[in-house]
Each structure stands twice: as C-alpha cells, then as structure tokens.
Amino acid sequence: MSDGIKTICCIGAGYVGGPTMAVIADKCKYLKVIVVDLNKDKINSWNNEDLTKLPVYEPGLKDLIKRCRGKNLFFSTNIQQSIAESDMVFISVNTPTKQTGLGAGEASDLKFIESSARSIAEFAIGHTIVVEKSTIPVKTAEVIKTILISSQKGSEKIPEKSFTVLSNPEFLAEGTAIDDLINPSRVLIGGESKTSINALVNIYKNWVSEEKIIKTNIWSSELSKLTANAFLAQRVSSINSISALCEKTGADISEVSKAVGMDYRIGRHFLKAGPGFGGSCFKKDILNLVYICKLYDLNEVANYWNEVLKINHWQQNRLTNIIVKKLFGTVTNKKIGILGFAFKANTNDTRESPAINICSNLLMEGAKLTIYDPKVKFKDISNSLKNLKNAVNDSFKIEENVCMSSSFEQLANGSDAILILTEWVEFKEIEWLKISKLMRKPSWIFDCRDIIDINHFRESDLNIWKIGFGSNMDNLK
Ligand code: UDX
Ligand code: ADP
C-alpha cells in the first residue's frame, strides 16, 4: 500500500538517518528513498564501494546498503532536487546542546532543524509530509510548522505548496540499530492530520504489526521520547550509585542487579553498572527536560532529573580518583592503556562517551595514554578531547600525550595500568597472563565494565579492580 507516497527523503545522513532509511528502503521496495546531507565527505563515504568505509558502524548495516544502494536507496548532496521530488521528508539532523546564549548548557540548539525546515519550505513542491525524527525538545514541531506556514504565505509562485508535520521519534539504540528498527518495541507517530499519520503508518505496516504502532498527539510523542531516555538514564545512574556501595560493603553488584532485575515490576534491562552512560541522547534529553521544567517554574522536577546527570559525572570522576590512588597517588608520565573509547560496544560513536571524561582527567594528571578501539578513529578521539588544551596548559598537545595502538601487546608494553572502558566482546578474549608480562610492575587492570573473568589469572601478579567489587580478590567470583 503506498498512499501516493512514492519518494521519501531524509535530511541528515548520520547515525539515525542512515540506518533508518536503509531499513525502510529494504522493507519497502516500492519506495524511492534518498538520504541527503550538507556534508560531502559523509555522502561520499555512504557511496563508497568499500563497505568498510561507511561513516556509521552498525552490525548488519553493510548488508542492507549492499542490497539497496543504487536500487531504491540513494545518498546525495542535492538537497533541493531530493526535497522537490519527495512526498515525505524526514528530518534527522543533529540537535547539540547550546554552548552560548539563552539556555546555554541545557537547551538544544535547533539551528540545524531550522535550516532543514527552511530548505523544505523553499524546495518542496505540492503536498509534503514533514516527519521530525531527530531527538528534539518538546514543542519543536511548532518551530517547524511556523517556518513552513510562513513560507506558504509568501509562495505565490507555487500556490499548491502545503505541509503537515508529524513527530516520529527514533528509539533505536546504537550498536543494535538495525535490529531495533526491524523489531521495534513500538513505533510512535504524533500529529494532527489523520491522512498523514496513516501514510506513515502504511510505510511501517510493511514490517511492523499494527498493534505496535501508537498514534498520538504531537506533544505526547515528543515528550515520550525524552521521558523514555530519562528513565533509562536514571536506571544507569541508580545502579552506578549502588556499585560504589557494593565496593565498600563487599556486596556483589552483579548479584544485586540480577536480584533487583528479576522483580518483574523492575525488569532486567539497564542495570549494568559501568563508567556512566554516554551517547548522543541521554545527557541532551535530560538537559532538555531540566530546561523545560525550569521554564515552567518546576524547579524541584528540574533538580530531580539533574541529579541523574550529576551521578553520571560523579561516577567517572570517582573511577579516575580510584585509578590515581592505586597508582601511588600519581600518574604523571605513566603509560596507561585504554581499551575502548566508543560510548558502548558495537558503535564507532564517541559522543558523550564516559571515556572522554576519564581520559581527560588522567591527561590532566599528566598520564600518557595509549588507546585501542576496534572502530574509533584517532581523529574522533582527538576531537573529543580538544577542550582539554585550555584545561591543561597552552602548550599541551594531544598527539604528544595520546596515541593509538593496533594491538593489545603494543598497548600493554610498559603500561602501569590498563582500563577497560567499552564492553567490546573481543576484550573478553584477551590473554591477560601474556599481557601482564609486558606491563611494568606493579601492574593494574581496571575493569570498569565488569567483563573479564578473573579466574583465568587469579594466580598472576596482576592487580585487578572491578566496578562494583573493588580490588578485594576474595570478593571476586
Ligand atoms: C539511547 C536509547 O536507548 C534509544 O532508545 C534512543 O533512541 C537513543 O538513546 P543509545 O544512546 O544508542 O540509545 O544507547 P543505549 O544502549 O541506550 O546506552 C546508553 C548508555 O548507557 C551507554 O553509554 C551504555 O553503555 C550505558 N548503559 C546502558 C549502562 O551503563 N548500563 C546499562 O545497563 C545500559
Ligand atoms: P544523529 O545521531 O541524530 O543521526 P548525526 O550528527 O550523526 O546525528 O547526523 C546528523 C547529520 O545531519 C549530520 O551529518 C549533519 O551534517 C546533517 N545536517 C545537519 N543540518 C543539515 C541540513 N540543514 N541539511 C542537510 N544535512 C544536515
């Protein structure tokens, strides 16, 4: 069923736009799907013959691109033509937290949403359904609508131009994006126009059963996205706060998580203690929630959610303090190996990764870092650490203090400590006895993701510290 929707386009070829459109193209062969971006390099990478060079790493993505690209899925920088030929335009651009001006540090910067809406207003022909997909603060649809409506008034040249706006928040998690898109727990569509809602429902109906598609009003849809992320982040902060208590008392964090999670009212997901949540959504969405609560004078509600963020930051500082303390109170000029820089496994995304804060803290203490991550590039690491320059001193150079390693051996060679910051599955296979021989003594492993099985090297001379257990070997299973 097509509802007259033949061509769709997505503005923004990032972590959300790319995978989402690849799945739609694969499931709706009758549709022509165009993904556009201002960034030429990104579009070139999406079009690269070598599928290992795609700008986004997601398990399963390569196969989809191979199947659909050039058939009914296209990546282009020609925004004008793509919008003009589309019946439905998705907005999937980034909405970073504002750094300056009104709402700095909390409100989202909507400049990319605004410029996308202006492009749609200018180039659309006929009736266009505009779908907001980016994670956005509540009431963003109003901004989009206002821009589209004002363009309608001035567009005497093309009087048949008209728009409806829908909110269809993305619930995919990076690293499992393709699976989340193919088997969503629900699809949320907010809007006023029944016909437009149904047109989008008909796209999803190609692979999602109708009872999983929730139709609602636009504000509920936008707020549901922020709330879902805030609740998930809150669970991570809650279990991380308990990890600290486990380390003090000798309780076993994994047993606590298991016991708590088996209560069906609570559930087992998002109870894994670690170095804190990262990614492009959680912090930004909570900040948005805090900002909107303050706007409505709900200061207690704002403070409540702000604590979730504070615990997250505290967890990272707490880990750094433990590391420095274990290394005799100083890490100056010590070589520290970092395993994993992505904010979680199976993604090359480093946005808001806990590794940024932990590595920054260690660099400020004078450490020399060697980083291994199977998917993250040095360019992205040095970009994430660029604010450090001011914090350390004028002459501080990232290249002189941080290097990448292509093997565990190289990373371990001469290191005083190795930190596991991302739960990449390959880190579970590391032969620690071999690695320990290459390290300077006494050597420490800080397992901040609780992934290594210490039974394999209980007798070794490695010192182990594990999140939620501490370094008392008797506490470790
Ligand atoms: C999240 C939401 O899950 C998704 O629905 C939304 O669309 C975007 O934001 P994402 O940021 O990709 O997705 O990752 P997610 O799997 O939610 O993990 C977020 C962070 O929490 C990661 O840093 C992860 O390591 C951390 N986390 C998650 C834990 O520390 N413990 C857990 O038990 C679960
Ligand atoms: P997300 O995780 O939300 O997908 P990304 O930063 O990965 O965020 O992707 C957003 C993309 O949107 C970027 O590649 C950026 O270049 C693109 N973008 C931002 N504004 C516009 C615009 N006005 N027109 C086209 N593309 C845009």
Side-chain angles (χ1 to χ4, degrees):
M1 187 152 177
S2 75
D3 267 315
I5 308 287
K6 294 193 184 72
T7 304
I8 67 171
C9 136
C10 174
I11 306 182
Y15 284 91
V16 173
T20 308
M21 291 302 127
V23 169
I24 293 183
D26 197 45
K27 297 292 181 186
C28 308
K29 294 281 184 332
Y30 64 91
L31 280 178
K32 176 177 178 187
V33 180
I34 316 166
V35 189
V36 295
D37 205 293
L38 292 168
N39 185 331
K40 283 196 182 69
D41 291 343
K42 206 173 248 187
I43 291 298
N44 287 342
S45 306
W46 280 110
N47 283 323
N48 202 313
E49 278 301 308
D50 179 356
L51 291 172
T52 61
K53 299 255 161 62
L54 296 178
V56 169
Y57 172 72
E58 267 309 327
L61 180 63
K62 266 193 315 194
D63 295 339
L64 287 178
I65 299 294
K66 202 168 157 192
R67 273 209 296 276
C68 304
R69 196 178 59 190
K71 296 190 179 105
N72 68 331
L73 175 64
F74 304 90
F75 294 91
S76 162
T77 48
N78 193 338
I79 298 177
Q80 173 164 0
Q81 193 199 321
S82 306
I83 292 175
E85 68 173 292
S86 294
D87 310 298
M88 192 179 265
V89 179
F90 292 78
I91 303 182
S92 206
V93 297
N94 39 336
T95 49
T97 305
K98 275 182 87 169
Q99 297 304 320
T100 52
L102 197 66
E106 283 176 355
S108 269
D109 192 338
L110 295 182
K111 65 181 177 206
F112 300 120
I113 295 267
E114 184 179 331
S115 67
S116 305
R118 287 187 192 280
S119 301
I120 300 169
E122 191 177 351
F123 304 130
I125 295 173
H127 183 71
T128 308
I129 301 172
V130 179
V131 185
E132 46 166 34
K133 202 140 216 18
S134 320
T135 304
I136 31 130
V138 178
K139 299 273 172 185
T140 303
E142 216 152 72
V143 174
I144 300 175
K145 259 191 205 158
T146 312
I147 293 170
L148 296 175
I149 289 166
S150 37
S151 86
Q152 268 169 295
K153 286 184 194 139
S155 69
E156 276 150 32
K157 284 171 282 169
I158 319 164
E160 73 274 18
K161 214 184 259 218
S162 62
F163 303 98
T164 44
V165 180
L166 300 178
S167 157
N168 173 219
E170 190 47 75
F171 291 104
L172 67 80
E174 288 172 38
T176 51
I178 303 302
D179 195 43
D180 295 339
L181 285 160
I182 294 175
N183 303 301
S185 50
R186 77 299 205 192
V187 168
L188 194 53
I189 304 176
E192 285 161 6
S193 154
K194 281 212 165 65
T195 331
S196 302
I197 292 178
N198 284 336
L200 187 54
V201 168
N202 286 336
I203 290 182
Y204 281 109
K205 260 172 47 184
N206 286 289
W207 77 97
V208 180
S209 64
E210 218 169 339
E211 60 272 22
K212 281 193 178 169
I213 306 179
I214 306 172
K215 301 174 196 173
T216 175
N217 77 39
I218 210 152
W219 318 131
S220 308
S221 169
E222 289 179 336
L223 187 58
S224 304
K225 167 75 191 223
L226 292 195
T227 309
N229 277 348
F231 274 49
L232 291 172
Q234 182 189 46
R235 287 169 68 96
V236 177
S237 277
S238 300
I239 202 70
N240 283 345
S241 74
I242 301 300
S243 73
L245 193 57
C246 286
E247 287 159 28
K248 298 280 183 209
T249 57
D252 176 332
I253 188 69
S254 58
E255 297 295 340
V256 173
S257 287
K258 188 173 164 198
V260 171
M262 278 174 77
D263 184 328
Y264 71 91
R265 295 164 303 176
I266 298 171
R268 65 191 167 84
H269 298 288
F270 278 75
L271 289 179
K272 185 100 182 73
F277 56 76
S280 66
C281 285
F282 281 6
K283 184 172 172 194
K284 193 175 59 149
D285 287 359
I286 295 177
L287 285 171
N288 271 319
L289 209 52
V290 168
Y291 183 64
I292 195 165
C293 290
K294 282 190 194 162
L295 278 184
Y296 290 108
D297 260 344
L298 298 169
N299 291 320
E300 284 74 11
V301 186
N303 293 341
Y304 175 77
W305 286 108
N306 210 22
E307 287 303 318
V308 172
L309 291 178
K310 282 199 338 217
I311 290 279
N312 199 49
H313 201 67
W314 169 82
Q315 178 81 337
Q316 289 148 23
N317 292 343
R318 183 175 88 79
L319 294 184
T320 324
N321 292 343
I322 292 171
I323 294 159
V324 174
K325 234 169 153 178
K326 296 284 187 203
L327 299 183
F328 310 117
T330 175
V331 291
T332 306
N333 286 326
K334 287 184 177 163
K335 180 178 166 187
I336 298 185
I338 306 290
L339 287 177
F341 200 87
F343 79 95
K344 64 174 188 177
N346 296 320
T347 177
N348 58 342
D349 197 354
T350 60
R351 286 177 292 180
E352 301 295 343
S353 174
I356 299 174
N357 194 19
I358 294 173
C359 289
S360 298
N361 287 342
L362 291 171
L363 287 166
M364 281 194 281
E365 294 280 343
K368 304 282 179 199
L369 305 183
T370 308
I371 304 178
Y372 172 88
D373 187 294
K375 294 290 171 195
V376 176
K377 296 198 186 92
F378 182 71
K379 176 176 70 79
D380 293 321
I381 294 178
S382 76
N383 252 339
S384 338
L385 296 172
K386 65 175 185 286
N387 290 339
L388 242 189
K389 279 185 187 160
N390 308 332
V392 187
N393 60 49
D394 289 347
S395 60
F396 178 83
K397 288 204 175 65
I398 288 173
E399 319 76 74
E400 287 171 8
N401 295 280
V402 180
C403 66
M404 293 298 275
S405 165
S406 52
S407 74
F408 300 138
E409 286 75 16
Q410 193 190 345
L411 177 128
N413 206 5
S415 289
D416 291 272
I418 294 179
L419 278 52
I420 301 175
L421 295 185
T422 311
E423 71 284 23
W424 285 103
V425 78
E426 62 191 88
F427 299 161
K428 294 185 188 171
E429 314 298 326
I430 293 178
E431 291 178 57
W432 290 105
L433 283 179
K434 219 165 97 188
I435 291 292
S436 78
K437 296 203 176 76
L438 301 166
M439 296 176 74
R440 193 162 82 139
K441 305 289 164 213
S443 9
W444 278 91
I445 308 296
F446 294 92
D447 180 5
C448 304
R449 292 279 184 175
D450 184 19
I451 57 166
I452 60 176
D453 180 354
I454 73 130
N455 286 320
H456 296 315
F457 47 100
R458 200 174 266 283
E459 305 308 322
S460 82
D461 58 359
L462 278 175
N463 296 299
I464 320 280
W465 181 94
K466 249 178 187 290
I467 187 94
F469 294 91
S471 53
N472 182 350
M473 297 285 270
D474 298 333
N475 283 347
L476 298 174
K477 283 185 296 183

